[in-house]
Amino acid sequence: MKIGFIGLGNMGGPMAANLAKAGHEVIGFDMAEVTIEGVTMAASGAEAATGAEVVITMLPNGQILRAVAEEIIPAMSQGAVLVDCSTVDVESARVVAAAANASGLLSVDAPVSGGIGGASAGTLTFMAGGTAQAFAKAEPLFDIMGQKAVHCGDAGAGQAAKICNNMILGVTMIATCEAFALADKLGLDRQKMFDVVSTSSGYSWSMNAYCPAPGVGPQSPADNGYKPGFAAELMLKDLGLSQQAAEAADADTPMGQLARDLYDRFVNQEDGKGMDFSAMLPRFEKRGRG
Ligand code: NAD
């Protein structure tokens, strides 16, 4: 298949490389000078999109996605599929899908979970929004770049699933970290805390699979000086998107809002920038109630 791939950063680079490795013809474009094994570089997004059966975008945010879509949609062939794998606001996903469909293209919003490790290993999870026909055309590529693809519904449904999942993740990570810090102050051993909670009703992915306490539970960024992993600023981005969506949909999300505010403070006023999002634990550890 001839594939255009726009946005070859930390995630897009290895995803495009995996498509090329699987035997597809991949024409890439990035604003920055990059070289990706097996990928032929084009001089512009429009050039990468011309003649491609599928164009994949993996960009920083919705504003950039909208600008890139405006440029590439007119260059794409009738019936081709535009697959956006970036994490963006639901509104941008729907606007881009509508513009693509109006030009006779198929479209899928397909944000991913699995991080840079999953992108390299080809083990991402895709959550997709779009018509069944569009999803069916993109699915063989999801199978190369990932291990699971869930068709969540119409345009925007992939982004909706992604931000709801990450809102739960942000809230439970904070709850897990503050509970560890409280347990410390109550004189409870961290290993005992883990042994109880990981097999009791307080368990979660944050506790069981990504324990924020160093030396406790499975290997996680906490065991590596809180080097990301999943950076606190990326969690802040996703929590911002879920609050933006909650406002637009008039949904009451007080815990999501609080989680957003705490990560905002952590990233922008404290020392959280560049740290893994589980570094909330050392943050709470240092604090009292004041
Ligand atoms: P990144 O900053 O490494 O890559 C983005 C790339 O887009 C950069 O190479 C940049 O030069 C390029 N770019 C920006 N504007 C462009 C334009 N107009 N035309 C062409 N290229 C342009 O970011 P990333 O970590 O690869 O993340 C990409 C997306 O994936 C984001 O939406 C992010 O939220 C999401 N995501 C990231 C992770 C992660 O762990 N990094 C996990 C899940 C989802």
Side-chain angles (χ1 to χ4, degrees), residues 5-15 29-34 44-45 57-62 64-65 67-68 71 84-88 111-117 124 159 162 166 229-231 234 237-238 241:
F5 205 119
I6 300 169
L8 299 161
N10 289 320
M11 296 290 292
M15 289 164 72
F29 175 69
D30 194 290
M31 258 177 36
E33 282 252 343
V34 290
S44 68
T57 48
M58 193 51 166
L59 297 162
N61 60 47
I64 294 174
L65 170 67
V68 168
E71 181 198 340
D84 176 48
C85 294
S86 331
T87 303
V88 303
V112 302
S113 134
I116 298 165
L124 295 168
Q159 297 295 348
K162 167 88 187 173
N166 281 20
F230 185 47
L234 287 179
K237 172 191 171 186
D238 292 357
L241 292 175

Side-chain angles (χ1 to χ4, degrees), residues 124-198:
L124 295 168
T125 296
F126 290 84
M127 30 219 124
T131 61
Q133 191 194 1
F135 180 75
K137 277 196 96 168
E139 201 175 14
L141 303 184
F142 296 152
D143 289 343
I144 294 166
M145 297 182 287
Q147 60 185 358
K148 191 174 169 68
V150 180
H151 186 198
C152 300
D154 293 337
Q159 297 295 348
K162 167 88 187 173
I163 60 176
C164 288
N165 179 74
N166 281 20
M167 187 171 82
I168 296 172
L169 177 61
V171 169
T172 53
M173 181 54 82
I174 290 170
T176 304
C177 291
E178 68 180 30
F180 262 120
L182 170 62
D184 288 348
K185 293 199 176 180
L186 297 175
L188 183 60
D189 178 70
R190 284 184 168 181
Q191 183 63 52
K192 301 293 178 202
M193 167 81 174
F194 176 83
D195 291 346
V196 170
V197 175
S198 65

